[in-house]
Amino acid sequence: MSVTVVTYGTFDLFHVGHIRLLKRLRAMGDRLVVGLSTDSFNELKGKNVVIPFADRKEILLSCRYVDDVFEENTWEQKRDDLIREKADIFAIGDDWAGKFDELEDIVKVLYLPRTKDISTTELKTVMREINEEKVREAKNVATHLVDLLGKL
Ligand code: C2G
């Protein structure tokens, strides 16, 4: 009797928090299928994704824990997806705790602890800070050059 697990997410800037969740989900069954948020659905979710859907899908399909990926375009499609995929378990990070309990009549619903100290948002912040530092350095160099030229 094979056990299919289904989860959903954006998985932007793929990081260790994502991989640890997928690893745990895959260990719960024999097949893990991911509903991957499309770029348009991310706009609905209020998320500015860095990596486009096609690349995020390719990355997930390259992950040893993921067996298949389908598009997540709406909030309302989960029930149909779970039936189509013959899911036994719906599982997602506990930042969603309680949000999908209405699916309990067709699948086991689980909320797993998130990995601490890593998120796409934090990665974006670090990248922005690195970029701002580079801009400051470039401005300092430019100012120094102007000073030098002024002395010629
Ligand atoms: N996650 C995690 N630890 C982190 C970051 C993320 O366990 N440090 C988990 C999230 O809890 C989620 C999955 O990784 O289960 C994907 O995270 P996101 O891409 O942020 O997914 P989200 O935008 O929450 O999409 O309809 C459901 C939504 O599509 C879920």
Side-chain angles (χ1 to χ4, degrees):
M1 153 77 167
S2 80
V3 174
T4 293
V5 183
V6 173
T7 192
Y8 290 79
T10 299
F11 295 96
D12 193 20
L13 299 177
F14 200 59
H15 57 65
V16 73
H18 296 139
I19 201 74
R20 285 183 188 157
L21 177 88
L22 295 171
K23 184 175 184 178
R24 279 149 54 204
L25 296 183
R26 183 63 180 76
M28 289 178 177
D30 317 280
R31 179 169 169 262
L32 172 59
V33 184
V34 178
L36 184 61
S37 309
T38 57
D39 297 339
S40 51
F41 184 49
N42 276 304
E43 282 171 34
L44 259 178
K45 286 163 68 172
K47 283 197 164 189
N48 300 318
V49 285
V50 175
I51 310 295
F53 176 81
D55 292 7
R56 289 185 285 115
K57 179 175 179 180
E58 185 177 341
I59 290 166
L60 278 182
L61 287 173
S62 308
C63 172
R64 65 168 58 180
Y65 305 118
V66 175
D67 296 287
D68 203 2
V69 172
F70 59 83
E71 288 187 8
E72 180 188 29
N73 291 292
T74 69
W75 292 112
E76 298 76 23
Q77 69 181 73
K78 290 184 177 65
R79 184 170 289 273
D80 291 345
D81 293 341
L82 294 168
I83 291 166
R84 182 192 66 246
E85 297 297 337
K86 298 182 175 58
D88 301 280
I89 300 170
F90 167 96
I92 197 164
D94 60 6
D95 41 323
W96 294 92
K99 297 286 192 310
F100 304 114
D101 292 354
E102 80 276 0
L103 298 168
E104 286 277 4
D105 60 322
I106 56 169
V107 288
K108 186 174 176 186
V109 176
L110 295 173
Y111 303 104
L112 284 77
R114 285 168 61 94
T115 299
K116 302 217 178 323
D117 307 324
I118 181 84
S119 71
T120 304
T121 308
E122 282 170 72
L123 289 174
K124 284 181 183 175
T125 303
V126 167
M127 288 192 292
R128 189 169 47 249
E129 285 165 0
I130 291 169
N131 189 44
E132 285 163 0
E133 179 57 26
K134 282 185 181 166
V135 168
R136 275 195 296 277
E137 283 172 11
K139 282 180 179 171
N140 288 343
V141 167
T143 305
H144 188 59
L145 284 174
V146 167
D147 288 349
L148 285 176
L149 289 170
K151 291 181 177 116
L152 293 179

